[in-house]
């Protein structure tokens, strides 16, 4: 898709769906580094799997839900 076509598509989406585009401000190098460091240390990086004793109960819940 060419840039002109993409711009037209975005304009049509904005018009017909009542969208308002919000543009992110460019980040400085320091902000990018800080943001990257925060992401790496986020709780989602430290997820642990459930204990084996929970698995049978989970399987039962899934079977009963279907």
């Amino acid at each position: 898709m060419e840039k002109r076509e993409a711009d037209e598509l975005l304009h049509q989406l904005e018009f017909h769906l009542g969208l308002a585009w919000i543009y992110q401000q460019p980040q400085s190098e320091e902000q990018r580094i800080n943001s990257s460091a925060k992401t790496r240390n986020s709780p989602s990086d430290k997820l642990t799997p459930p204990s084996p004793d929970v698995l049978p109960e989970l399987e039962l819940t899934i079977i009963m839900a279907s």
Side-chain angles (χ1 to χ4, degrees), residues 24-45:
Q24 183 177 358
Q25 296 296 319
Q27 292 181 332
S28 70
E29 184 64 26
E30 183 179 338
Q31 288 172 322
R32 270 189 294 253
I33 291 169
N34 289 340
S35 175
S36 174
K38 287 178 187 171
T39 303
R40 267 187 268 117
N41 296 326
S42 70
S44 64
D45 288 345

Side-chain angles (χ1 to χ4, degrees), residues 47-63:
L47 293 177
T48 56
S51 71
D53 355 332
V54 176
L55 294 178
E57 186 178 330
L58 238 128
E59 290 172 349
L60 182 62
T61 304
I62 292 170
I63 291 169

